[in-house]
Amino acid sequence: MRCFKIKHAVCLLGIAGLMLGIGCKKDSGYYDFKNEAQVFNGSTYEYLQSKKGMFDSLLKVLDITPLGDSLKKGNNTLFAPTDLCFKAMMENLNAIRQVQGKEALHLGTVDRDELDSLLEKYIIRGVIPSDSMTYADGLMIYSMQTGYPMHGKQRATDATGYVGGGPHYINFSDTKRTQYIISWVTTVTSSINLKTKNGVVHVLKDDHVIGFNEFMTRLNN
């Protein structure tokens, strides 16, 4: 009987030790996080075409403005607004126009020059992956068409037990041509570092406001 009690106690201690070891084990999924880039075997323009229902509006704008060719050839970085970004822009624009007694617009009928000015800020000179924007002050970047100053800064979400150990994202800002950061308008990405044959794509979150709050003054005429 005494032997049985000793064996029973040893068994319980063994189970407790095993449970303690499991409870103290680190989650390597957080600590070993790597933000690995995807690769698409085609141009940036072809990548957009491959994502049916996601970038249809952007492709329409690219085709009716001079911007399209820049994504078919040449080296550049695209901060890509999704269809939901364009949908929100047009719904908000037409809601105001309805109150003003104006006819509703769609992407094919808005002023093309103004639309070009809004969208050219999203196509950046050179191939700029997110790890190029890790400096403390971020990185000044410039639109391909006019050299308009934009700004990018890579950040990381926190993970359990590790500050900054989660997925990375980019703060993408319109500087409004001022050095005062308080005046900048900033949006964030939902995915980053999609490499194509002639550039890299960072996809913006669906709630991004096209034109960084300028669409109403530029398109409502």
Side-chain angles (χ1 to χ4, degrees):
M1 184 69 176
R2 182 180 178 185
C3 181
F4 173 78
K5 289 181 178 180
I6 293 174
K7 288 182 178 179
H8 183 65
V10 170
C11 182
L12 289 176
L13 287 172
I15 293 173
L18 178 62
M19 294 301 293
L20 180 61
I22 292 173
C24 293
K25 185 178 180 181
K26 293 181 179 179
D27 186 339
S28 63
Y30 290 124
Y31 287 82
D32 298 335
F33 172 78
K34 293 181 180 179
N35 193 36
E36 297 179 351
Q38 305 175 65
V39 179
F40 178 78
N41 187 28
S43 69
T44 299
Y45 186 88
E46 290 170 330
Y47 168 70
L48 298 177
Q49 287 181 313
S50 74
K51 297 296 182 180
K52 301 296 183 183
M54 186 173 184
F55 299 116
D56 295 349
S57 297
L58 177 56
L59 284 166
K60 183 176 182 64
V61 173
L62 293 173
D63 289 341
I64 63 176
T65 65
L67 298 171
D69 286 343
S70 63
L71 298 183
K72 297 176 182 178
K73 52 189 177 182
N75 298 319
N76 48 61
T77 298
L78 172 66
F79 285 85
T82 66
D83 283 350
L84 289 178
C85 298
F86 283 94
K87 180 181 179 182
M89 177 185 76
M90 295 310 300
E91 287 179 347
N92 289 331
L93 175 63
N94 285 322
I96 295 297
R97 290 179 66 85
Q98 183 178 20
V99 171
Q100 297 173 339
K102 296 180 179 179
E103 182 181 357
L105 297 173
H106 54 80
L107 286 177
T109 59
V110 296
D111 187 296
R112 293 189 181 184
D113 290 337
E114 295 292 354
L115 194 58
D116 178 86
S117 295
L118 286 179
L119 267 295
E120 74 103 8
K121 297 177 181 179
Y122 296 83
I123 304 176
I124 304 299
R125 295 174 180 172
V127 179
I128 308 176
S130 65
D131 60 9
S132 298
M133 309 179 212
T134 57
Y135 305 106
D137 295 330
L139 181 69
M140 292 299 300
I141 52 183
Y142 301 89
S143 70
M144 183 215 63
Q145 186 167 270
T146 65
Y148 185 91
M150 301 291 286
H151 186 271
K153 182 173 177 58
Q154 177 179 279
R155 294 187 177 278
T157 56
D158 294 339
T160 303
Y162 183 40
V163 176
H168 296 179
Y169 64 95
I170 298 171
N171 278 352
F172 181 52
S173 303
D174 182 345
T175 67
K176 304 298 179 181
R177 297 187 184 277
T178 177
Q179 62 180 326
Y180 300 110
I181 297 176
I182 193 172
S183 299
W184 294 3
V185 179
T186 300
T187 189
V188 297
T189 57
S190 61
S191 62
I192 58 177
N193 293 337
L194 188 289
K195 293 183 178 179
T196 69
K197 284 187 173 180
N198 67 321
V200 63
V201 179
H202 308 301
V203 181
L204 298 176
K205 292 185 68 174
D206 290 336
D207 61 359
H208 168 62
V209 179
I210 297 287
F212 296 88
N213 299 337
E214 292 183 5
F215 74 91
M216 195 66 70
T217 55
R218 285 185 174 273
L219 301 181
N220 188 28
N221 47 40

